[in-house]
Amino acid sequence: MLTGANGTGKTTVLLALKVIRAAFDRGLPEAVSQTLGGSYNLRNHDAAEDEPTELGLELDDLSWRVQLRARGATVDYVTDESLTLGGETIFVRDSLGNFVYRGERQEFVPAAAERLGLRWVTEFHPEDSDAARLSNLIRNIQVYYDPDLRGLREGGSRAIEDRHLHTRGRNVFTMLRKWRDRREDARRFDFVDQGLRAAFPGVYDGIDFDAGQTVTARVYRPGNETPNPISHEANGVLSMLMLLAQIASADRGGIVAIDEPEHALHPFAIRRLVERARAWARQHDLTILFTTHSPVLLNQFNAEPEHVFVLERGYEVLPVPLDELRDRNWLANYTIGELYSDSEFAANENI
């Protein structure tokens, strides 16, 4: 769980994960251009000009780092990058293009030089289990924000878009229909269907799809055999459907990051969402990251303040685990949502 005042960078954290995922596939320049809109958005406006911009991931004792060096409207593909295991360097690459892998200097053909060093190691040394572990994690990063609920209501989902759930969820009906009809993916559809039943027991009793060049949905209500078109459904139902599909879309061992899932949801539905997300994450070894301003959502972590991370100005390293920001025994006297609402941490007035 990630929280903070407006403008402190919650969505930026999600976009950083999206840049990492895109960079693995298409290289740093295209990832920064497509995800951030160019190098102008690389750094906080308060950051010093000479302060480096770095992205990285840690997985157990593995640590991967890559610097982003502005070059015109985007970034340079030749940059400092490293992968280490404990104190051992697996590979290191510098801004001059020098690349050393397991103690030996490597030479690149031009096309390979434009890739991340991690991608190169994964492709040319598939036996390297350390690089493979981190690469698999990056391949399984999924980031979701700004869902296109209006587009779904008015236009449905394109029938041909059935490989991956889109960042804004515009193909969610196509994916749900595919999951329902494929034996190996039926568990994903069931997770969404059962989650909607739990969150809206008096409103939802099943879903069906109409398909042509686009896929639209119809929702059944308890005791009514005539379904309602999705265009007539409440925003909360459509929003919850989207959130559950986003969680269900992840493969085992992956990372799912969702921006402000509380929109349009009743507190009862928020609690059901967290319950379902926890169970699914345990079952499929997932890391689920929510950003939020919701006291109700924060209250679901009253017993686990170490799982709430705060973007709070004045700290050198962000985000800060809540139980480091405030004494754990003191936190036990309150609910996290109450403290947040009372500006005891992550206060807008401190910006």
Side-chain angles (χ1 to χ4, degrees):
M1 183 66 61
L2 181 65
T3 191
N6 293 118
T8 52
K10 298 182 298 301
T11 302
T12 301
V13 172
L14 270 61
L15 290 177
L17 289 171
K18 191 171 177 63
V19 168
I20 291 172
R21 178 66 186 88
F24 189 85
D25 285 341
R26 302 189 294 273
L28 280 171
E30 186 173 346
V32 169
S33 296
Q34 295 297 319
T35 305
L36 300 180
S39 58
Y40 174 77
N41 292 316
L42 276 181
R43 60 176 62 241
N44 186 291
H45 297 299
D46 295 332
E49 284 296 324
D50 59 350
E51 187 172 345
T53 302
E54 184 178 89
L55 294 176
L57 286 175
E58 293 186 3
L59 176 62
D60 300 325
D61 49 357
L62 278 171
S63 178
W64 174 74
R65 294 289 184 271
V66 61
Q67 284 199 8
L68 304 181
R69 299 177 182 274
R71 183 178 183 184
T74 183
V75 296
D76 201 334
Y77 64 82
V78 180
T79 187
D80 294 297
E81 182 185 356
S82 65
L83 177 65
T84 60
L85 176 66
E88 176 189 356
T89 298
I90 296 174
F91 78 80
V92 62
R93 181 183 189 179
D94 64 25
S95 58
L96 299 177
N98 299 307
F99 192 103
V100 177
Y101 169 70
R102 302 271 185 196
E104 296 186 5
R105 182 181 172 87
Q106 307 293 313
E107 298 294 338
F108 292 114
V109 298
E114 298 181 8
R115 304 174 188 171
L116 286 178
L118 181 62
R119 173 75 180 267
W120 183 90
V121 172
T122 302
E123 291 184 353
F124 287 90
H125 294 277
E127 76 285 355
D128 193 313
S129 60
D130 296 320
R133 274 200 300 150
L134 196 63
S135 297
N136 288 337
L137 177 65
I138 291 175
R139 287 190 181 104
N140 285 324
I141 292 175
Q142 298 185 54
V143 178
Y144 300 105
Y145 57 93
D146 191 21
D148 186 13
L149 301 186
R150 180 177 178 179
L152 285 171
R153 287 183 183 282
E154 296 178 353
S157 301
R158 294 183 63 192
I160 61 173
E161 294 183 339
D162 65 351
R163 293 187 61 197
H164 306 287
L165 185 61
H166 187 266
T167 291
R168 300 186 63 201
R170 65 190 183 194
N171 62 335
V172 67
F173 299 145
T174 302
M175 295 302 298
L176 284 171
R177 186 179 66 129
K178 172 187 172 183
W179 294 344
R180 182 198 63 182
D181 296 342
R182 290 185 59 184
R183 183 182 181 89
E184 58 267 38
D185 287 324
R187 59 186 174 83
R188 302 181 196 265
F189 176 82
D190 291 343
F191 173 76
V192 177
D193 179 60
Q194 293 165 15
L196 287 168
R197 294 176 189 274
F200 307 104
V203 174
Y204 175 89
D205 194 35
I207 190 169
D208 202 354
F209 306 97
D210 293 315
Q213 291 185 341
T214 61
V215 180
T216 59
R218 300 171 296 172
V219 173
Y220 291 87
R221 290 178 177 263
N224 193 337
E225 295 185 2
T226 302
N228 288 332
I230 198 69
S231 59
H232 294 176
E233 275 303 328
N235 269 348
V237 173
L238 189 51
S239 180
M240 187 71 161
L241 178 148
M242 183 81 75
L243 292 164
L244 292 166
Q246 289 166 352
I247 294 168
S249 68
D251 291 327
R252 174 171 292 276
I255 298 174
V256 183
I258 302 175
D259 198 25
E260 299 184 0
E262 63 267 21
H263 288 312
L265 294 185
H266 186 279
F268 179 85
I270 291 175
R271 291 191 287 270
R272 300 294 84 76
L273 172 66
V274 174
E275 290 171 1
R276 299 276 163 168
R278 287 181 191 274
W280 188 262
R282 287 193 298 268
Q283 185 179 356
H284 296 90
D285 189 27
L286 294 180
T287 297
I288 300 176
L289 172 63
F290 292 141
T291 72
T292 189
H293 288 296
S294 168
V296 176
L297 188 50
L298 288 168
N299 280 342
Q300 307 316 300
F301 295 84
N302 286 330
E304 305 167 297
E306 70 277 9
H307 290 166
V308 177
F309 295 83
V310 184
L311 291 165
E312 182 91 15
R313 286 187 181 272
Y315 288 81
E316 184 175 349
V317 178
L318 294 174
V320 184
L322 183 57
D323 63 340
E324 293 183 16
L325 189 68
R326 299 289 186 270
D327 180 76
R328 192 181 185 102
N329 292 327
W330 180 80
L331 288 170
N333 296 313
Y334 308 93
T335 67
I336 295 176
E338 175 187 8
L339 294 172
Y340 181 76
S341 296
D342 291 343
S343 297
E344 291 291 339
F345 64 89
N348 262 20
E349 53 266 40
N350 293 335
I351 296 179

